[in-house]
Amino acid sequence: MRKPKLFAGAGLLAVAAVAVVLTTASADSPGPPPATTPIQHLVVIFGENISFDHYFGTYPNATNPPGEPTFTAAPNTPDVNGLNNTLLNFNPNAANPQRLDRSEALTCDQDHKYGDEQKAADGGLMDKAVEFTNNSNCVAPDQSKPNLVMDYYDGNTVTGLWNYAQHFSLSDNSYDTVFGPSTPGALNLISGQTHGATPAAIAGSVENGSVIGDPDPTLDDCGSGNTVTMSGKNIGDLLNAHHLTWGWFNGGFDPTGTNGGKAVCGASSTNVGGATVADYSPHHEPFMYYASTANPHHMLPSSPSMIGKTDQANHQYDLKDFDTAVGNNNLPAVSFLKAPAYEDGHAGYSDPLDEQRFIVHTINELEKSPQWSSTAVVLAYDDSDGWYDHQMSPIVSPSAAPSDALNGPGVCGNVKDQSAYPDRCGYGPRLPLLVISPWAKSNFVDSSITDQSSIIRFVEDNWQLGRIGDQSFDAKAGTLGNMFDFNPKAPRSAKLFLDETTGLPVGGDDHGHGSPGAPGNGGHGSSGGGEHHHHHSNKTRSARVSCTTHRTSQHRVVVSCVNHGKTHGRAAMRFRIVRNGKVLATARGVVRGGKAKASLRSKKALSGRYTLRVSLADTAGVTAVSHTVNLR
């Protein structure tokens, strides 16, 4: 398991004005486009194989048996489109849904083939899950039971996710872009595409040039069996074209050796049941299918400062590199995270408890970063695993191919529709989706229609990248914007630190706290109040701070400052570029060795005379910065 790198927030801030002249002469290359929202860093945690009802069917009502983490919903928690009394007790399927206890975290993997999921939906009747996607045959430590495909967890097992839903935003109307298993979902996440595969036909994996199964990427040294490459563009290509930093960070990606000149992916871990699981799964890494974004030999980044930039790693990394980027206050604009397999939630080798540890660890780590104030985490899934969900998806892309079966053999949706595209029938099953951010609406349920490609649409819109084209689903995708509140006067959602094992709220430290009455632990949820911090002494000490600036583009300036005085414990500097009393750009840097550095980006072009305001604080109190210098 990754070891977190924790970085402190600052105490009370003292401010000094530093005159700065920024001229156009220092711009030597086009900079990335400014974000259109306060989100400067998007982190996508992409889990495995969960339907909405499987995790959130009875939200926000948990059973709360003795000896398990207790979940109590905050007052006025909105309902979700979940498992009502009729669906729980008089379900149209061959069996009623049953609660899975926390002791039943390890279960069999279910059938989630492209055609079988359509058969289970039965033309929209949603009544054939037992016949077509149930699988109760597996070996220890996974547990099998009759009609397992119908069953669900509640807030005593997926406690962390329910607490995040209480504190931030949950969607109850988000879907797999198409039917089928992991690889189509992963491809849709980054390109809105599953067609363009070579070879164009592999039984059970590729049909009519569209991926419907789980072939490995041909360009990956660690791939095996049936392999394919994909043509066309993905979101990485758009980010590169606009000079934005990004990366896919995958557990077990770093090679453990070589064999015949090829990388060996031999890292493994032990899940909660004691089973040993290989960390890296090639068909879960979608950028490796595209020549433009592949890192065939799993080469490491050339230096920590190059994480997110184009070098020999080509934006494909191990999760340790994400920790390094967070620890260096150098989070890419867009980061995709894939847990090592034992923590990705996929039934058969992972489980909700191992998955919770990874998710909570990652979000706690981000909330302790100075960059949290401009970060959004999207928690999404690649497919449903075939787990029962009662809500039929809207069919926005009909298909007529041998593998289709929703409305009869070879038919999925209204195939007379001119938009029909072979083997890309969708939307597929309903999946969980959460947005966790200071800018997320608090204790909010969004019921607008979204899908996996809504995530890349958010990236495209936030950084003005344009669309992928070539019938990508991004052009049809609904917006994630309903899950945010970007009104600058609105209260921000407070940080929520959870215990990795129980999923329950824990007290904060000098990095910040969750709200005092944290939901999910018998408290009352915050409706979006500000952060709660320790209060520090106002004792002032003398200090000297000197700064230099370097403008890297018309919209960006790098500020480096040295504190010549003494600080106590953790320290940080905040930088603001101001003109006529208006703040045009802001950033924060952790003080290390008396130095702090940050990159400030303004939506408006920077040219002429500005004021640079520098704030310095540490864990013992305020350090006053009292002098002004002119920088040219």
Side-chain angles (χ1 to χ4, degrees):
M1 182 174 152
R2 296 146 49 217
K3 293 183 179 180
K5 299 177 181 178
L6 309 182
F7 292 86
L12 301 175
L13 301 178
V15 179
V18 182
V20 183
V21 175
L22 304 175
T23 63
T24 57
S26 61
D28 53 10
S29 63
T36 59
T37 75
I39 304 305
Q40 305 290 331
H41 310 284
L42 183 73
V43 178
V44 181
I45 301 177
F46 202 50
E48 288 282 319
N49 295 53
I50 304 297
S51 75
F52 182 86
D53 279 346
H54 188 55
Y55 269 9
F56 287 96
T58 63
Y59 178 83
N61 301 308
T63 305
N64 292 333
E68 297 190 10
T70 299
F71 181 89
T72 304
N76 302 316
T77 293
D79 292 329
V80 299
N81 177 12
L83 298 173
N84 58 27
N85 181 68
T86 299
L87 291 169
L88 287 170
N89 297 292
F90 306 97
N91 197 281
N93 281 269
N96 288 325
Q98 303 291 325
R99 176 184 180 271
L100 290 167
D101 189 72
R102 186 178 173 90
S103 62
E104 300 173 296
L106 285 163
T107 66
C108 302
D109 184 21
Q110 303 302 299
D111 180 353
H112 44 296
K113 296 183 179 68
Y114 177 84
D116 288 348
E117 286 190 342
Q118 294 183 31
K119 293 174 184 177
D122 192 20
L125 296 177
M126 310 304 287
D127 61 354
K128 297 296 183 183
V130 172
E131 290 85 348
F132 292 109
T133 58
N134 187 72
N135 176 22
S136 298
N137 297 315
C138 56
V139 297
D142 298 338
Q143 301 183 40
S144 62
K145 56 192 303 187
N147 308 314
L148 177 64
V149 74
M150 298 295 298
D151 296 345
Y152 64 91
Y153 294 103
D154 70 6
N156 308 128
T157 301
V158 289
T159 316
L161 295 183
W162 281 35
N163 275 310
Y164 287 133
Q166 286 273 281
H167 208 73
F168 302 103
S169 291
L170 168 70
S171 171
D172 70 349
N173 207 16
S174 191
Y175 298 88
D176 197 338
T177 304
V178 299
F179 291 93
S182 294
T183 301
L187 293 172
N188 280 314
L189 171 70
I190 69 162
S191 67
Q193 292 287 23
T194 53
H195 75 255
T198 301
I202 300 176
S205 292
V206 184
E207 192 170 75
N208 298 312
S210 295
V211 175
I212 61 171
D214 283 333
D216 277 358
T218 303
L219 300 171
D220 192 335
D221 282 357
C222 298
S224 61
N226 292 324
T227 66
V228 302
T229 57
M230 299 295 294
S231 62
K233 294 181 179 179
N234 60 55
I235 194 65
D237 297 315
L238 270 60
L239 290 164
N240 285 338
H242 289 80
H243 312 287
L244 285 155
T245 55
W246 68 278
W248 178 280
F249 301 86
N250 208 121
F253 189 82
D254 279 359
T256 54
T258 58
N259 183 11
K262 290 189 174 183
V264 175
C265 300
S268 63
S269 301
T270 303
N271 69 18
V272 72
T276 299
V277 181
D279 286 344
Y280 180 67
S281 179
H283 74 270
H284 290 168
E285 219 288 31
F287 287 107
M288 298 291 275
Y289 290 89
Y290 293 84
S292 60
T293 54
N295 178 2
H297 306 307
H298 293 234
M299 298 182 72
L300 307 184
S302 53
S303 70
S305 64
M306 288 300 294
I307 296 171
K309 301 175 183 178
T310 301
D311 69 352
Q312 63 186 18
N314 204 21
H315 303 273
Q316 311 308 309
Y317 309 104
D318 192 272
L319 279 169
K320 293 191 292 292
D321 297 316
F322 182 76
D323 290 333
T324 298
V326 175
N328 289 340
N329 197 23
N330 191 34
L331 196 61
V334 181
S335 302
F336 299 92
L337 271 58
K338 195 70 177 183
Y342 82 110
E343 292 181 318
D344 68 15
H346 193 308
Y349 58 77
S350 184
D351 59 278
L353 301 181
D354 283 314
E355 178 194 22
Q356 175 176 268
R357 182 176 56 249
F358 173 79
I359 293 171
V360 170
H361 170 87
T362 301
I363 294 174
N364 284 351
E365 177 184 26
L366 287 167
E367 287 184 318
K368 293 170 183 175
S369 164
Q371 296 179 291
W372 177 246
S373 62
S374 59
T375 297
V377 177
V378 175
L379 179 58
Y381 289 86
D382 65 344
D383 68 73
S384 73
D385 200 57
W387 293 111
Y388 170 68
D389 188 276
H390 78 277
Q391 177 63 47
M392 178 60 199
S393 60
I395 300 300
V396 302
S397 177
S399 173
S403 55
D404 288 309
L406 178 67
N407 304 104
V411 181
C412 185
N414 179 13
V415 294
K416 295 181 181 179
D417 190 324
Q418 294 302 307
S419 66
Y421 200 96
D423 300 293
R424 286 187 27 180
C425 192
Y427 298 141
R430 191 170 58 145
L431 311 176
L433 186 141
L434 296 94
V435 170
I436 301 163
S437 171
W439 299 92
K441 294 177 182 177
S442 184
N443 200 9
F444 177 76
V445 174
D446 178 37
S447 295
S448 60
I449 296 174
T450 58
D451 74 295
Q452 291 157 334
S453 68
S454 294
I455 298 171
I456 55 172
R457 179 158 190 155
F458 179 86
V459 174
E460 293 165 350
D461 292 346
N462 195 52
W463 283 281
Q464 307 171 74
L465 307 183
R467 300 282 179 248
I468 289 174
D470 190 26
Q471 297 189 18
S472 169
F473 277 88
D474 63 353
K476 300 180 179 182
T479 178
L480 300 183
N482 297 323
M483 304 176 77
F484 293 94
D485 185 351
F486 293 127
N487 181 349
K489 297 182 180 180
R492 303 273 62 87
S493 292
K495 297 176 183 177
L496 177 66
F497 293 97
L498 301 180
D499 183 273
E500 296 179 14
T501 301
T502 66
L504 295 174
V506 296
D509 52 18
D510 58 354
H511 305 293
H513 298 278
S515 56
N521 197 21
H524 300 293
S526 165
S527 61
E531 297 173 20
H532 176 74
H533 294 280
H534 285 303
H535 293 285
H536 299 280
S537 166
N538 286 327
K539 182 179 179 180
T540 301
R541 302 178 303 279
S542 62
R544 292 187 302 111
V545 171
S546 59
C547 300
T548 60
T549 63
H550 172 65
R551 212 185 67 159
T552 59
S553 73
Q554 291 184 343
H555 298 271
R556 186 189 295 271
V557 60
V558 175
V559 178
S560 301
C561 293
V562 178
N563 174 37
H564 301 283
K566 184 178 181 181
T567 57
H568 296 266
R570 301 178 179 94
M573 291 185 190
R574 181 177 293 278
F575 311 98
R576 294 180 177 89
I577 291 179
V578 181
R579 175 183 269 177
N580 298 326
K582 184 176 181 180
V583 177
L584 301 178
T586 182
R588 189 164 75 171
V590 175
V591 176
R592 297 186 181 87
K595 300 177 181 180
K597 183 177 180 180
S599 177
L600 290 82
R601 183 190 301 161
S602 170
K603 291 185 178 181
K604 295 184 178 180
L606 299 170
S607 179
R609 188 177 182 85
Y610 295 82
T611 298
L612 172 65
R613 298 190 183 276
V614 181
S615 305
L616 172 65
D618 60 22
T619 57
V622 176
T623 299
V625 184
S626 59
H627 66 282
T628 301
V629 295
N630 290 322
L631 306 176
R632 295 182 181 274

